Amino acid sequence: MCGIAGFVATNSQTSLEQLRSVAEAMHISLQHRGPDDHGVWIDGETGVALVHRRLSIVDLSIAGHQPMLSANGRYVIVYNGEVYSHLEIRAEIEATGHQFRGHSDTEVILESIDRVGVRATADRLIGMFALAVWDRKTRMLILLRDRLGIKPIYWAKFTGLFMFGSELKALRSHPTWTPQIRPNAVASFMRHNYIPAPHTIYENVYKLEPGMILTLPFGGEPRLEKFWDARQVALSGVRNPLREDDRTLTDRLESLLMDAVGRRMIADVPLGAFLSGGVDSSTVVALMKAASAGQVKTFSIGFEQASFNEAPHAAAVARHLGTDHTALVVTSRQTLDVIPNLAEMFDEPFADSSQIPTYLVSAMTRKHVTVALSGDGGDELFSGYNRYQLTKRFWSALSLVPRPMRLALASGLASLSPTRWDRLSNILPNAFARPQAGDKIHKMASVLQLSHADELYRRLISHWTPEQITPSVSEDRGVLWDDTTRKDFPDLLDRMQFLDLVTYLPDDILTKVDRASMAIALEARVPLLDHRVVELAWRLPHSAKIRGGETKWLLRQVLYRHVPKELIDRPKMGFGVPLGEWLRGPLRDWAESLLSEDRLKQTEFLDSGVVRRYWSEHLSGRRNWQYLLWNVLMFEAWRERWT
């Protein structure tokens, strides 16, 4: 796991020393991603610089140093990630008589590119990767990102300058670029709590999307192509479902997961796993235990508040599997101390509050190991999110009521203010009274007005609607509004899973894990997102995902072969923190400074009156606007650090 960056300055008269100075600044900005080694490669004639920060995982020797040149000197590579199929590819190349200098996967990738090209090499790679290759013969730069978007890469093209990097802070290190905020990106962020790819917070700066190859001819324009298309994979799976009995499906999934987990246990440094006690992480740890002759190290954190504390469940699973388990119950003070560092860690606005516990468990784990396996991806692949069933059930009921009748009912419910509804609720007997009744009734009124299920799904995954808080700016509308998605995936469950796979998973979940773990140089590996597992999951019938109201049914059957059901079978908790309480308590002064009326009026992006009203309602306890306010707070904290 590493950090990469670089640039091509085609119109530059810059000296070799100046090129090196910029490259050095880039690698310093990424030193947290790779504290073990760094390297810079420069071609003064073409104005090309490649930068690498190394976290040594496989082949700790100098033979793994990057930037790395191919044996014939034609290609130069900088690479971030791990490829778990490199031993097979290496054997094929060695069969031709080639002798490798070391045993790193980087060298294997490089020599494969030299023989069969980037596209054919990409098809052979199993793992996570973001890499850049400079072809010295054709003067071509090539960027490549893994199929699911586990590893990040940003790029930007200006007159005479092309830049790329693992994080935006690397691009900001280039002295000729003056960043400009995209108002449309701010609007999108307020809806999603992340900025959907390919866009970023800045004008003319982009995320390379998952499964994509970017090719830049010297002095030309970048060309984009997909080597792995999630839509085609999903469509192929839906149209060609497996028709096998439960036992055969369970055997098939377990065998593939065993291979995926086993491959990710190869490392020349200490290795462990995150363990929450839920289905996904417990499955990964159970299969690690089955594949290992030694003891598996597991790590979990808990919280003082019982409703957020999964540590006892993790400990029970660890005891059953006999892992070497380390748990830490963090205090509110420890948790709050992370918050001032979030804007530095996530150098683009990002407001998934589970970023806090993800960082804390990563920091604790890094004290013991350098690599940790994670259970991310199970919800998206095996229908684990509650919103999947909620959307289907609710829309099935709602669609029975004619829309004119629903609109009339919505108008009636919205005719009274939330405060009036709260007062009416307060005079009811305790058995019928509901907290924040007015807010819930108004939300119900807005849902009654929806015209189709996709709008309901968007509502469930949205925080702000941009019209509320950025009324003069239009958001970027991508695949979530693409009508062809409804045509390709007529079944609502398939459609929701596909949309999560290409938006929420890479732009939220995997971004969170990458930044939080790499902030302290911990490599996080995600075996459930082996692309072969993804392809199998899309071929599963719905009954293998949700059965009798039970989510992730088939994945659970694999797990129950190793862990008793009673240790796992409980309501989904999530990985959160008590934001609402903190914002009224220990975070109040910090939040007030970022949400002051004078400051908000200076942003020119947000409606200060709306934000102040929501803040006031939250402080009074009349509403719980914790997640919406967290969006604003993370944007303002980011703006304070980076503008």
Side-chain angles (χ1 to χ4, degrees), residues 561-597:
R561 290 179 172 182
H562 303 267
V563 177
K565 183 176 181 178
E566 55 268 22
L567 292 183
I568 303 297
D569 195 12
R570 64 181 188 277
K572 189 177 181 65
M573 182 177 290
F575 198 35
V577 290
L579 274 182
E581 298 174 26
W582 290 352
L583 291 175
R584 296 187 187 100
L587 287 181
R588 179 168 180 168
D589 290 344
W590 168 79
E592 184 61 57
S593 68
L594 292 174
L595 301 179
S596 70
E597 190 164 2

mmCIF file of all heavy atoms in Angstrom, residues 561-597:
data_model
loop_
_atom_site.group_PDB
_atom_site.id
_atom_site.type_symbol
_atom_site.label_atom_id
_atom_site.label_comp_id
_atom_site.label_asym_id
_atom_site.label_seq_id
_atom_site.Cartn_x
_atom_site.Cartn_y
_atom_site.Cartn_z
ATOM 1 N N ARG A 561 -21.430 -22.251 9.178
ATOM 2 C CA ARG A 561 -20.606 -23.457 9.172
ATOM 3 C C ARG A 561 -19.411 -23.333 10.115
ATOM 4 O O ARG A 561 -18.754 -24.327 10.425
ATOM 5 C CB ARG A 561 -20.112 -23.753 7.756
ATOM 6 C CG ARG A 561 -21.202 -24.207 6.794
ATOM 7 C CD ARG A 561 -20.653 -24.456 5.402
ATOM 8 N NE ARG A 561 -21.670 -25.079 4.537
ATOM 9 C CZ ARG A 561 -21.449 -25.452 3.273
ATOM 10 N NH1 ARG A 561 -20.247 -25.266 2.730
ATOM 11 N NH2 ARG A 561 -22.418 -26.014 2.574
ATOM 12 N N HIS A 562 -19.131 -22.100 10.546
ATOM 13 C CA HIS A 562 -17.951 -21.848 11.371
ATOM 14 C C HIS A 562 -18.286 -21.216 12.723
ATOM 15 O O HIS A 562 -17.533 -21.379 13.682
ATOM 16 C CB HIS A 562 -16.990 -20.920 10.625
ATOM 17 C CG HIS A 562 -16.558 -21.436 9.289
ATOM 18 N ND1 HIS A 562 -15.419 -22.181 9.109
ATOM 19 C CD2 HIS A 562 -17.132 -21.310 8.055
ATOM 20 C CE1 HIS A 562 -15.296 -22.497 7.831
ATOM 21 N NE2 HIS A 562 -16.324 -21.980 7.166
ATOM 22 N N VAL A 563 -19.401 -20.497 12.774
ATOM 23 C CA VAL A 563 -19.781 -19.760 13.981
ATOM 24 C C VAL A 563 -21.255 -20.023 14.271
ATOM 25 O O VAL A 563 -22.090 -19.939 13.353
ATOM 26 C CB VAL A 563 -19.545 -18.238 13.809
ATOM 27 C CG1 VAL A 563 -20.005 -17.467 15.038
ATOM 28 C CG2 VAL A 563 -18.074 -17.951 13.535
ATOM 29 N N PRO A 564 -21.632 -20.330 15.510
ATOM 30 C CA PRO A 564 -23.039 -20.586 15.824
ATOM 31 C C PRO A 564 -23.931 -19.391 15.488
ATOM 32 O O PRO A 564 -23.548 -18.230 15.707
ATOM 33 C CB PRO A 564 -23.027 -20.848 17.333
ATOM 34 C CG PRO A 564 -21.631 -21.268 17.643
ATOM 35 C CD PRO A 564 -20.754 -20.521 16.681
ATOM 36 N N LYS A 565 -25.089 -19.679 14.993
ATOM 37 C CA LYS A 565 -26.021 -18.641 14.575
ATOM 38 C C LYS A 565 -26.357 -17.686 15.703
ATOM 39 O O LYS A 565 -26.497 -16.475 15.496
ATOM 40 C CB LYS A 565 -27.293 -19.297 14.038
ATOM 41 C CG LYS A 565 -28.324 -18.319 13.511
ATOM 42 C CD LYS A 565 -29.508 -19.052 12.900
ATOM 43 C CE LYS A 565 -30.525 -18.060 12.340
ATOM 44 N NZ LYS A 565 -31.676 -18.751 11.698
ATOM 45 N N GLU A 566 -26.474 -18.211 16.943
ATOM 46 C CA GLU A 566 -26.894 -17.360 18.062
ATOM 47 C C GLU A 566 -25.875 -16.272 18.393
ATOM 48 O O GLU A 566 -26.210 -15.280 19.047
ATOM 49 C CB GLU A 566 -27.177 -18.200 19.305
ATOM 50 C CG GLU A 566 -26.032 -19.084 19.748
ATOM 51 C CD GLU A 566 -26.110 -20.475 19.155
ATOM 52 O OE1 GLU A 566 -26.781 -20.645 18.096
ATOM 53 O OE2 GLU A 566 -25.508 -21.399 19.746
ATOM 54 N N LEU A 567 -24.633 -16.430 17.960
ATOM 55 C CA LEU A 567 -23.629 -15.381 18.192
ATOM 56 C C LEU A 567 -23.751 -14.240 17.186
ATOM 57 O O LEU A 567 -23.191 -13.163 17.398
ATOM 58 C CB LEU A 567 -22.209 -15.961 18.117
ATOM 59 C CG LEU A 567 -21.784 -16.921 19.226
ATOM 60 C CD1 LEU A 567 -20.326 -17.331 19.040
ATOM 61 C CD2 LEU A 567 -21.984 -16.288 20.602
ATOM 62 N N ILE A 568 -24.462 -14.483 16.099
ATOM 63 C CA ILE A 568 -24.511 -13.521 14.989
ATOM 64 C C ILE A 568 -25.893 -12.914 14.820
ATOM 65 O O ILE A 568 -26.033 -11.751 14.430
ATOM 66 C CB ILE A 568 -24.108 -14.219 13.668
ATOM 67 C CG1 ILE A 568 -22.716 -14.846 13.793
ATOM 68 C CG2 ILE A 568 -24.170 -13.248 12.501
ATOM 69 C CD1 ILE A 568 -21.600 -13.855 14.025
ATOM 70 N N ASP A 569 -26.922 -13.691 15.106
ATOM 71 C CA ASP A 569 -28.293 -13.316 14.773
ATOM 72 C C ASP A 569 -28.817 -12.243 15.716
ATOM 73 O O ASP A 569 -29.328 -12.529 16.801
ATOM 74 C CB ASP A 569 -29.183 -14.555 14.831
ATOM 75 C CG ASP A 569 -30.527 -14.327 14.143
ATOM 76 O OD1 ASP A 569 -30.647 -13.312 13.441
ATOM 77 O OD2 ASP A 569 -31.425 -15.163 14.301
ATOM 78 N N ARG A 570 -28.692 -10.993 15.294
ATOM 79 C CA ARG A 570 -29.173 -9.853 16.074
ATOM 80 C C ARG A 570 -29.431 -8.696 15.113
ATOM 81 O O ARG A 570 -28.955 -8.704 13.980
ATOM 82 C CB ARG A 570 -28.133 -9.437 17.127
ATOM 83 C CG ARG A 570 -26.831 -8.946 16.555
ATOM 84 C CD ARG A 570 -25.837 -8.567 17.648
ATOM 85 N NE ARG A 570 -24.663 -7.933 17.102
ATOM 86 C CZ ARG A 570 -23.617 -8.575 16.603
ATOM 87 N NH1 ARG A 570 -23.620 -9.899 16.581
ATOM 88 N NH2 ARG A 570 -22.584 -7.916 16.114
ATOM 89 N N PRO A 571 -30.158 -7.665 15.540
ATOM 90 C CA PRO A 571 -30.427 -6.530 14.654
ATOM 91 C C PRO A 571 -29.150 -5.830 14.226
ATOM 92 O O PRO A 571 -28.187 -5.746 14.983
ATOM 93 C CB PRO A 571 -31.300 -5.601 15.524
ATOM 94 C CG PRO A 571 -31.897 -6.498 16.550
ATOM 95 C CD PRO A 571 -30.876 -7.555 16.825
ATOM 96 N N LYS A 572 -29.154 -5.351 12.985
ATOM 97 C CA LYS A 572 -28.009 -4.629 12.444
ATOM 98 C C LYS A 572 -27.817 -3.333 13.220
ATOM 99 O O LYS A 572 -28.749 -2.566 13.415
ATOM 100 C CB LYS A 572 -28.242 -4.326 10.962
ATOM 101 C CG LYS A 572 -27.042 -3.762 10.217
ATOM 102 C CD LYS A 572 -27.391 -3.580 8.752
ATOM 103 C CE LYS A 572 -26.226 -3.051 7.947
ATOM 104 N NZ LYS A 572 -25.098 -3.994 7.888
ATOM 105 N N MET A 573 -26.562 -3.083 13.675
ATOM 106 C CA MET A 573 -26.301 -1.912 14.507
ATOM 107 C C MET A 573 -25.673 -0.771 13.715
ATOM 108 O O MET A 573 -25.952 0.393 13.935
ATOM 109 C CB MET A 573 -25.372 -2.297 15.676
ATOM 110 C CG MET A 573 -25.080 -1.159 16.640
ATOM 111 S SD MET A 573 -24.056 -1.678 18.044
ATOM 112 C CE MET A 573 -25.202 -2.695 18.950
ATOM 113 N N GLY A 574 -24.801 -1.076 12.770
ATOM 114 C CA GLY A 574 -24.071 -0.017 12.080
ATOM 115 C C GLY A 574 -22.839 0.370 12.861
ATOM 116 O O GLY A 574 -22.567 -0.151 13.949
ATOM 117 N N PHE A 575 -22.077 1.304 12.305
ATOM 118 C CA PHE A 575 -20.788 1.664 12.886
ATOM 119 C C PHE A 575 -20.787 3.174 13.075
ATOM 120 O O PHE A 575 -20.214 3.914 12.289
ATOM 121 C CB PHE A 575 -19.675 1.215 11.938
ATOM 122 C CG PHE A 575 -18.315 1.118 12.574
ATOM 123 C CD1 PHE A 575 -18.155 0.712 13.880
ATOM 124 C CD2 PHE A 575 -17.183 1.428 11.833
ATOM 125 C CE1 PHE A 575 -16.892 0.608 14.455
ATOM 126 C CE2 PHE A 575 -15.921 1.318 12.388
ATOM 127 C CZ PHE A 575 -15.775 0.908 13.703
ATOM 128 N N GLY A 576 -21.480 3.631 14.112
ATOM 129 C CA GLY A 576 -21.691 5.064 14.249
ATOM 130 C C GLY A 576 -21.258 5.616 15.587
ATOM 131 O O GLY A 576 -20.723 4.911 16.439
ATOM 132 N N VAL A 577 -21.502 6.888 15.756
ATOM 133 C CA VAL A 577 -21.177 7.607 16.985
ATOM 134 C C VAL A 577 -22.368 8.492 17.342
ATOM 135 O O VAL A 577 -23.160 8.858 16.470
ATOM 136 C CB VAL A 577 -19.913 8.473 16.809
ATOM 137 C CG1 VAL A 577 -18.681 7.598 16.682
ATOM 138 C CG2 VAL A 577 -20.037 9.396 15.605
ATOM 139 N N PRO A 578 -22.518 8.862 18.614
ATOM 140 C CA PRO A 578 -23.676 9.665 19.043
ATOM 141 C C PRO A 578 -23.512 11.145 18.707
ATOM 142 O O PRO A 578 -23.378 11.997 19.585
ATOM 143 C CB PRO A 578 -23.714 9.426 20.556
ATOM 144 C CG PRO A 578 -22.296 9.153 20.933
ATOM 145 C CD PRO A 578 -21.698 8.408 19.768
ATOM 146 N N LEU A 579 -23.549 11.455 17.432
ATOM 147 C CA LEU A 579 -23.334 12.830 16.979
ATOM 148 C C LEU A 579 -24.323 13.809 17.597
ATOM 149 O O LEU A 579 -23.956 14.928 17.985
ATOM 150 C CB LEU A 579 -23.460 12.911 15.460
ATOM 151 C CG LEU A 579 -22.241 12.611 14.599
ATOM 152 C CD1 LEU A 579 -22.607 12.801 13.144
ATOM 153 C CD2 LEU A 579 -21.086 13.526 14.984
ATOM 154 N N GLY A 580 -25.600 13.404 17.626
ATOM 155 C CA GLY A 580 -26.622 14.327 18.112
ATOM 156 C C GLY A 580 -26.326 14.827 19.508
ATOM 157 O O GLY A 580 -26.421 16.027 19.792
ATOM 158 N N GLU A 581 -25.956 13.910 20.420
ATOM 159 C CA GLU A 581 -25.625 14.304 21.789
ATOM 160 C C GLU A 581 -24.380 15.178 21.829
ATOM 161 O O GLU A 581 -24.321 16.172 22.562
ATOM 162 C CB GLU A 581 -25.399 13.048 22.634
ATOM 163 C CG GLU A 581 -26.614 12.142 22.762
ATOM 164 C CD GLU A 581 -26.257 10.851 23.479
ATOM 165 O OE1 GLU A 581 -25.291 10.855 24.282
ATOM 166 O OE2 GLU A 581 -26.931 9.832 23.230
ATOM 167 N N TRP A 582 -23.372 14.806 21.058
ATOM 168 C CA TRP A 582 -22.115 15.564 21.082
ATOM 169 C C TRP A 582 -22.308 17.001 20.607
ATOM 170 O O TRP A 582 -21.698 17.924 21.133
ATOM 171 C CB TRP A 582 -21.085 14.876 20.199
ATOM 172 C CG TRP A 582 -20.578 13.577 20.751
ATOM 173 C CD1 TRP A 582 -20.819 13.051 21.990
ATOM 174 C CD2 TRP A 582 -19.748 12.635 20.078
ATOM 175 N NE1 TRP A 582 -20.194 11.841 22.133
ATOM 176 C CE2 TRP A 582 -19.528 11.559 20.972
ATOM 177 C CE3 TRP A 582 -19.170 12.583 18.821
ATOM 178 C CZ2 TRP A 582 -18.746 10.464 20.634
ATOM 179 C CZ3 TRP A 582 -18.394 11.495 18.482
ATOM 180 C CH2 TRP A 582 -18.186 10.446 19.378
ATOM 181 N N LEU A 583 -23.144 17.165 19.561
ATOM 182 C CA LEU A 583 -23.338 18.513 19.031
ATOM 183 C C LEU A 583 -24.054 19.422 20.028
ATOM 184 O O LEU A 583 -23.893 20.639 20.000
ATOM 185 C CB LEU A 583 -24.116 18.459 17.714
ATOM 186 C CG LEU A 583 -23.353 17.849 16.533
ATOM 187 C CD1 LEU A 583 -24.260 17.731 15.316
ATOM 188 C CD2 LEU A 583 -22.114 18.685 16.191
ATOM 189 N N ARG A 584 -24.847 18.828 20.919
ATOM 190 C CA ARG A 584 -25.486 19.628 21.966
ATOM 191 C C ARG A 584 -24.588 19.743 23.198
ATOM 192 O O ARG A 584 -24.890 20.517 24.101
ATOM 193 C CB ARG A 584 -26.816 18.990 22.377
ATOM 194 C CG ARG A 584 -27.859 18.942 21.275
ATOM 195 C CD ARG A 584 -29.208 18.449 21.807
ATOM 196 N NE ARG A 584 -30.162 18.255 20.738
ATOM 197 C CZ ARG A 584 -30.472 17.085 20.198
ATOM 198 N NH1 ARG A 584 -29.907 15.983 20.671
ATOM 199 N NH2 ARG A 584 -31.355 16.999 19.219
ATOM 200 N N GLY A 585 -23.523 18.953 23.255
ATOM 201 C CA GLY A 585 -22.653 18.922 24.431
ATOM 202 C C GLY A 585 -21.230 19.314 24.123
ATOM 203 O O GLY A 585 -20.947 20.485 23.830
ATOM 204 N N PRO A 586 -20.291 18.355 24.130
ATOM 205 C CA PRO A 586 -18.871 18.700 24.032
ATOM 206 C C PRO A 586 -18.453 19.307 22.700
ATOM 207 O O PRO A 586 -17.415 19.971 22.636
ATOM 208 C CB PRO A 586 -18.168 17.355 24.259
ATOM 209 C CG PRO A 586 -19.193 16.311 23.979
ATOM 210 C CD PRO A 586 -20.495 16.904 24.367
ATOM 211 N N LEU A 587 -19.219 19.118 21.631
ATOM 212 C CA LEU A 587 -18.867 19.700 20.333
ATOM 213 C C LEU A 587 -19.582 21.021 20.061
ATOM 214 O O LEU A 587 -19.400 21.607 18.999
ATOM 215 C CB LEU A 587 -19.211 18.715 19.206
ATOM 216 C CG LEU A 587 -18.313 17.493 19.040
ATOM 217 C CD1 LEU A 587 -18.795 16.651 17.869
ATOM 218 C CD2 LEU A 587 -16.858 17.897 18.839
ATOM 219 N N ARG A 588 -20.348 21.486 21.010
ATOM 220 C CA ARG A 588 -21.195 22.649 20.723
ATOM 221 C C ARG A 588 -20.361 23.881 20.365
ATOM 222 O O ARG A 588 -20.673 24.583 19.390
ATOM 223 C CB ARG A 588 -22.093 22.942 21.923
ATOM 224 C CG ARG A 588 -22.988 24.154 21.708
ATOM 225 C CD ARG A 588 -24.050 24.273 22.758
ATOM 226 N NE ARG A 588 -24.896 25.436 22.550
ATOM 227 C CZ ARG A 588 -26.037 25.672 23.169
ATOM 228 N NH1 ARG A 588 -26.477 24.791 24.066
ATOM 229 N NH2 ARG A 588 -26.753 26.751 22.914
ATOM 230 N N ASP A 589 -19.331 24.192 21.117
ATOM 231 C CA ASP A 589 -18.534 25.387 20.838
ATOM 232 C C ASP A 589 -17.833 25.278 19.485
ATOM 233 O O ASP A 589 -17.786 26.248 18.710
ATOM 234 C CB ASP A 589 -17.498 25.612 21.944
ATOM 235 C CG ASP A 589 -18.133 26.032 23.255
ATOM 236 O OD1 ASP A 589 -19.314 26.449 23.242
ATOM 237 O OD2 ASP A 589 -17.465 25.928 24.300
ATOM 238 N N TRP A 590 -17.269 24.090 19.208
ATOM 239 C CA TRP A 590 -16.610 23.884 17.912
ATOM 240 C C TRP A 590 -17.603 24.076 16.773
ATOM 241 O O TRP A 590 -17.317 24.756 15.780
ATOM 242 C CB TRP A 590 -16.010 22.479 17.878
ATOM 243 C CG TRP A 590 -15.553 22.024 16.532
ATOM 244 C CD1 TRP A 590 -14.396 22.361 15.891
ATOM 245 C CD2 TRP A 590 -16.248 21.119 15.654
ATOM 246 N NE1 TRP A 590 -14.325 21.724 14.665
ATOM 247 C CE2 TRP A 590 -15.446 20.962 14.504
ATOM 248 C CE3 TRP A 590 -17.451 20.425 15.735
ATOM 249 C CZ2 TRP A 590 -15.818 20.136 13.436
ATOM 250 C CZ3 TRP A 590 -17.830 19.606 14.678
ATOM 251 C CH2 TRP A 590 -17.020 19.468 13.547
ATOM 252 N N ALA A 591 -18.787 23.486 16.917
ATOM 253 C CA ALA A 591 -19.789 23.594 15.870
ATOM 254 C C ALA A 591 -20.279 25.031 15.716
ATOM 255 O O ALA A 591 -20.457 25.530 14.599
ATOM 256 C CB ALA A 591 -20.964 22.660 16.172
ATOM 257 N N GLU A 592 -20.481 25.713 16.838
ATOM 258 C CA GLU A 592 -20.971 27.094 16.782
ATOM 259 C C GLU A 592 -19.994 27.995 16.034
ATOM 260 O O GLU A 592 -20.406 28.879 15.275
ATOM 261 C CB GLU A 592 -21.204 27.612 18.196
ATOM 262 C CG GLU A 592 -21.797 29.014 18.255
ATOM 263 C CD GLU A 592 -23.161 29.121 17.594
ATOM 264 O OE1 GLU A 592 -24.070 28.377 17.999
ATOM 265 O OE2 GLU A 592 -23.300 29.942 16.662
ATOM 266 N N SER A 593 -18.696 27.756 16.211
ATOM 267 C CA SER A 593 -17.712 28.589 15.516
ATOM 268 C C SER A 593 -17.766 28.387 14.008
ATOM 269 O O SER A 593 -17.544 29.326 13.234
ATOM 270 C CB SER A 593 -16.300 28.279 16.033
ATOM 271 O OG SER A 593 -15.894 26.973 15.649
ATOM 272 N N LEU A 594 -18.074 27.159 13.576
ATOM 273 C CA LEU A 594 -18.156 26.880 12.146
ATOM 274 C C LEU A 594 -19.507 27.259 11.553
ATOM 275 O O LEU A 594 -19.613 27.469 10.340
ATOM 276 C CB LEU A 594 -17.897 25.396 11.889
ATOM 277 C CG LEU A 594 -16.470 24.899 12.164
ATOM 278 C CD1 LEU A 594 -16.400 23.383 12.006
ATOM 279 C CD2 LEU A 594 -15.462 25.569 11.238
ATOM 280 N N LEU A 595 -20.528 27.336 12.403
ATOM 281 C CA LEU A 595 -21.882 27.623 11.923
ATOM 282 C C LEU A 595 -22.335 29.041 12.261
ATOM 283 O O LEU A 595 -23.526 29.345 12.171
ATOM 284 C CB LEU A 595 -22.876 26.619 12.523
ATOM 285 C CG LEU A 595 -22.630 25.141 12.225
ATOM 286 C CD1 LEU A 595 -23.688 24.277 12.897
ATOM 287 C CD2 LEU A 595 -22.612 24.883 10.723
ATOM 288 N N SER A 596 -21.405 29.888 12.627
ATOM 289 C CA SER A 596 -21.788 31.262 12.946
ATOM 290 C C SER A 596 -22.358 31.940 11.702
ATOM 291 O O SER A 596 -21.965 31.641 10.569
ATOM 292 C CB SER A 596 -20.580 32.051 13.450
ATOM 293 O OG SER A 596 -19.665 32.286 12.399
ATOM 294 N N GLU A 597 -23.280 32.848 11.926
ATOM 295 C CA GLU A 597 -23.952 33.488 10.794
ATOM 296 C C GLU A 597 -22.980 34.252 9.917
ATOM 297 O O GLU A 597 -23.047 34.196 8.687
ATOM 298 C CB GLU A 597 -25.057 34.415 11.309
ATOM 299 C CG GLU A 597 -25.957 34.919 10.198
ATOM 300 C CD GLU A 597 -27.249 35.503 10.740
ATOM 301 O OE1 GLU A 597 -27.411 35.542 11.977
ATOM 302 O OE2 GLU A 597 -28.090 35.906 9.929
#
